[in-house]
């Protein structure tokens, strides 16, 4: 089925995550009071926060059609890449979960914080398409003779998986803190942001310290993965990208707090966290396949040539 369609779908889901953060940041989630319609209209009057929420819904709908296209292509090419085909059906289930959770949140006006479940499921959908992209890119590299298995890559599997798991936990916890307004309670101390879930400033404080601890674990996992990649001389580009994004994410986190959770800082923080997660998932796929998928053809050829000369 190729890797281009899953890659484009991954990019679209990434944009959806940013749009979702914008909806939360502008408190536009209930600008459309019903679902699947918007204030009783298929196409509502475009004004105020309705523009933000409706755009988010339209992007979700577009991604729905893209997922269906992936399922169709995956089924057609299931013999070539059975794992990717199975994952497209998993993605269809995740898409349904995201849609249902979004509808429940709108129709039942769930307490602040429960809306983070929607983000958590969407992040899993994002990871699924990054994985499908990696699997299909592996198949493409093998067909083109650009794939070379390396034991040093396989040896990094556990570290990559730990990093991906830690980053996902950080994102889920961060989403709950943002959606429940625990961050606003902790930063501003304003009691108006207290809710059924964040009943006292102490609860917000505990959540923020827990988020800090998880962030330290994430940083440790990424730094460990980075140095092992450098030591083994594999996945150096991916590891360097993760390290660079980590630094930017830390800066964005401090900017988020120092600006009292300004919208631009929150969007930047969410974007960088999502990119960091994507790279960790992609590296995990590489360690499972045992090859460097982003290594250029010329480098592979040079390595084979040098190995042949030694032989």
């Amino acid at each position: 089925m190729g890797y281009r369609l899953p890659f484009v779908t991954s990019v679209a889901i990434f944009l959806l995550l940013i749009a979702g953060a914008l909806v939360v940041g502008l408190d536009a989630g209930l600008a459309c009071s019903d679902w699947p319609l918007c204030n009783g209209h298929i196409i509502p009057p475009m004004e105020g926060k309705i523009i933000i929420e409706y755009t988010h819904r339209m992007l979700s709908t577009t991604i729905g059609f893209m997922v269906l296209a992936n399922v169709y292509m995956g089924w057609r090419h299931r013999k070539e890449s059975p794992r990717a085909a199975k994952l497209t059906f998993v993605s269809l289930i995740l898409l349904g979960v995201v849609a249902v959770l979004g509808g429940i949140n709108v129709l039942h006006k769930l307490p602040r914080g429960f809306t983070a479940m929607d983000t958590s499921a969407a992040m899993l959908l994002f990871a699924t398409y990054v994985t499908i992209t990696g699997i299909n890119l592996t198949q493409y590299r093998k067909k083109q003779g650009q794939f070379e298995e390396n034991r040093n890559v396989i040896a990094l599997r556990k570290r990559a998986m730990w990093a991906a798991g830690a980053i996902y936990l950080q994102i889920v916890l961060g989403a709950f803190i943002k959606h429940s307004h625990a961050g606003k309670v902790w930063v501003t101390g304003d009691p108006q942001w207290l809710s059924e879930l964040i009943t006292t400033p102490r609860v917000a404080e505990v959540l923020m310290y827990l988020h800090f601890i998880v962030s330290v674990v994430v940083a440790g996992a990424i730094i460990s993965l980075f140095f092992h990649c450098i030591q083994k001389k594999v996945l150096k580009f991916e590891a360097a990208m993760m390290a660079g994004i980590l630094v930017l994410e830390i800066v964005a986190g401090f900017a988020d707090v120092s600006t009292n959770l300004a919208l631009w800082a929150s969007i930047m923080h969410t974007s960088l966290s999502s990119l960091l997660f994507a790279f960790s998932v992609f590296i995990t796929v590489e360690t499972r396949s045992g090859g460097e998928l982003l290594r250029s053809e010329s480098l592979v050829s040079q390595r084979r040539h040098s190995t042949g000369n030694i032989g």
Side-chain angles (χ1 to χ4, degrees):
M1 62 180 288
Y3 66 89
R4 292 180 177 84
L5 178 59
F7 175 72
V8 172
T9 306
S10 300
V11 173
I13 297 172
F14 174 70
L15 295 176
L16 178 66
L17 292 168
I18 296 175
L22 188 60
V23 169
V24 174
L26 293 175
D27 199 21
L30 297 180
C32 293
S33 59
D34 52 359
W35 184 89
L37 298 178
C38 181
N39 299 331
H41 299 279
I42 296 177
I43 303 177
M46 292 297 162
E47 55 187 16
K49 295 180 180 180
I50 293 176
I51 298 175
I52 305 299
E53 171 61 11
Y54 191 73
T55 300
H56 179 256
R57 289 191 181 190
M58 288 300 98
L59 182 56
S60 300
T61 302
T62 301
I63 289 172
F65 285 114
M66 295 177 75
V67 168
L68 290 175
N70 277 279
V71 171
Y72 171 73
M73 295 302 295
W75 176 253
R76 282 192 58 187
H77 298 276
R78 61 190 181 279
K79 293 183 179 180
E80 298 175 18
S81 186
R83 284 178 57 214
K86 291 176 182 177
L87 283 175
T88 59
F89 282 98
V90 171
S91 74
L92 187 61
I93 296 172
L94 286 172
L95 178 67
V97 171
V98 172
V100 170
L101 287 175
I104 291 174
N105 287 333
V106 172
L107 295 176
H108 295 278
K109 312 297 189 291
L110 294 181
R112 295 170 179 172
F114 280 103
T115 50
M117 294 188 296
D118 191 5
T119 302
S120 303
M123 198 61 68
L124 288 177
L125 182 64
F126 183 42
T128 301
Y129 273 96
V130 172
T131 301
I132 295 173
T133 300
I135 291 172
N136 289 345
L137 182 57
T138 300
Q139 296 294 330
Y140 174 80
R141 293 293 190 210
K142 288 180 178 179
K143 288 181 179 179
Q144 298 296 317
Q146 300 172 6
F147 184 85
E148 182 180 14
E149 187 170 308
N150 189 326
R151 292 183 180 179
N152 286 334
V153 174
I154 299 174
L156 296 169
R157 183 183 303 175
K158 288 184 178 180
R159 295 183 186 277
M161 291 177 65
W162 273 108
I167 295 169
Y168 180 71
L169 178 60
Q170 180 195 40
I171 289 173
V172 171
L173 183 57
F176 179 77
I177 289 173
K178 178 185 290 185
H179 289 233
S180 66
H181 294 314
K184 289 185 178 180
V185 174
W186 184 75
V187 172
T188 66
D190 192 338
Q192 71 166 318
W193 299 111
L194 295 175
S195 63
E196 300 95 321
L197 297 176
I198 311 301
T199 54
T200 65
R202 180 62 178 171
V203 174
E205 184 179 10
V206 170
L207 285 171
M208 291 301 295
Y209 279 118
L210 181 59
H211 186 261
F212 175 76
I213 292 171
V214 174
S215 298
V216 171
V217 173
V218 167
I222 293 173
I223 292 171
S224 174
L225 179 61
F226 172 78
F227 280 110
H228 277 80
C229 287
I230 298 302
Q231 181 184 18
K232 295 179 181 296
K233 299 181 180 180
V234 294
L235 304 176
K236 291 186 289 185
F237 171 76
E238 293 90 326
M241 287 296 295
M242 284 191 70
I245 294 171
L246 174 64
V247 172
L248 292 176
E249 186 195 21
I250 292 172
V251 172
F254 279 112
D256 209 5
V257 173
S258 61
T259 60
N260 288 334
L261 307 180
L263 181 60
W264 67 267
S266 296
I267 297 297
M268 183 182 297
H269 197 191
T270 299
S271 303
L272 292 169
S273 298
S274 301
L275 282 176
L276 195 62
F277 184 50
F279 267 99
S280 68
V281 171
F282 190 79
I283 288 180
T284 301
V285 175
E286 288 183 298
T287 59
R288 183 177 176 82
S289 67
E292 297 182 77
L293 300 179
L294 300 183
R295 179 184 287 270
S296 67
E297 181 182 1
S298 59
L299 288 175
V300 173
S301 300
Q302 289 174 13
R303 183 168 179 174
R304 286 178 177 171
H305 181 69
S306 62
T307 304
N309 288 340
I310 294 174

